[in-house]
Amino acid sequence: MGFIELFLIGVGLSMDAFAVSVCKGLNMQKINMRHAVVIGLFFGGFQALMPFVGWALGKQFEQYITAVDHWIAFALLAFIGGKMVYEAIKGGDDDEKIHDGDKLDIKELFLLAVATSIDALAVGITFAFLQVSILPSITVIGVTTFAFSVGGVAIGNRFGAKYKNKAELAGGIILILIGLKILLEGVGVIG
């Protein structure tokens, strides 16, 4: 598998992480590059780790992983998205919301990184079947996702600074919809 194919796989896998990164950027009053890099490292790291894990597990566990991956991703994204929607509707002091948006919740970031990288596990299993060299593959996927995630935080921040409450509500709805899309694809309702 060549670089172009790996890059395109990396771009495809990074789209969920990009969308979630945009949502994270929506909650920042001012862009914080340190936070953007941490978000990029979480998403890029998990997008690189999951294909490696999938590759290591190989064909022997494929039927078990693919049978539930969409349910896990849906549950995690719906929970976090629902929390964002609740907080947007609940409202409250704008200064408090801005302060909270500038903090990085590592537990939430971990759940988001897992949820957005579960599909990469299946890609890793496919890599094992195709006998793809795993180190260059996960490097390209991880670096691509890192770049898209950092860019997503910046884009979300630019938009979110003007439309704080509506942006948080939209971000929560987007996460729920991404989770629903993953679930519907997993159960075969949509292709």
Side-chain angles (χ1 to χ4, degrees), residues 23-60:
C23 295
K24 296 303 285 180
L26 290 172
N27 288 326
M28 292 181 184
Q29 178 186 17
K30 191 174 163 188
I31 187 87
N32 181 329
M33 284 312 291
R34 184 175 160 269
H35 287 180
V37 168
V38 169
I39 291 167
L41 287 172
F42 261 89
F43 289 133
F46 272 88
Q47 287 289 5
L49 176 65
M50 290 298 216
F52 178 76
V53 170
W55 176 81
L57 292 174
K59 191 172 184 169
Q60 56 189 297

Side-chain angles (χ1 to χ4, degrees), residues 121-173:
L121 193 67
V123 169
I125 292 169
T126 304
F127 284 172
F129 299 155
L130 299 175
Q131 298 180 356
V132 173
S133 179
I134 195 64
L135 189 57
S137 301
I138 63 174
T139 301
V140 170
I141 291 168
V143 169
T144 302
T145 303
F146 172 82
F148 271 84
S149 297
V150 171
V153 170
I155 290 168
N157 178 255
R158 181 175 289 279
F159 175 75
K162 294 181 182 178
Y163 307 102
K164 197 75 174 145
N165 258 353
K166 291 177 184 172
E168 186 172 20
L169 178 63
I173 291 169

Side-chain angles (χ1 to χ4, degrees), residues 37-147:
V37 168
V38 169
I39 291 167
L41 287 172
F42 261 89
F43 289 133
F46 272 88
Q47 287 289 5
L49 176 65
M50 290 298 216
F52 178 76
V53 170
W55 176 81
L57 292 174
K59 191 172 184 169
Q60 56 189 297
F61 295 110
E62 178 185 17
Q63 65 188 16
Y64 302 114
I65 294 167
T66 57
V68 296
D69 65 350
H70 48 279
W71 286 104
I72 295 168
F74 171 71
L76 292 172
L77 290 171
F79 173 75
I80 294 166
K83 180 180 164 208
M84 287 176 70
V85 168
Y86 172 78
E87 289 174 1
I89 292 171
K90 180 179 146 192
D93 184 18
D94 283 346
D95 291 337
E96 180 183 319
K97 285 183 106 25
I98 289 168
H99 182 65
D100 286 348
D102 288 340
K103 290 182 183 176
L104 219 49
D105 184 345
I106 298 301
K107 286 185 229 173
E108 179 184 76
L109 205 50
F110 174 80
L111 289 175
L112 288 169
V114 168
T116 58
S117 65
I118 287 176
D119 54 347
L121 193 67
V123 169
I125 292 169
T126 304
F127 284 172
F129 299 155
L130 299 175
Q131 298 180 356
V132 173
S133 179
I134 195 64
L135 189 57
S137 301
I138 63 174
T139 301
V140 170
I141 291 168
V143 169
T144 302
T145 303
F146 172 82

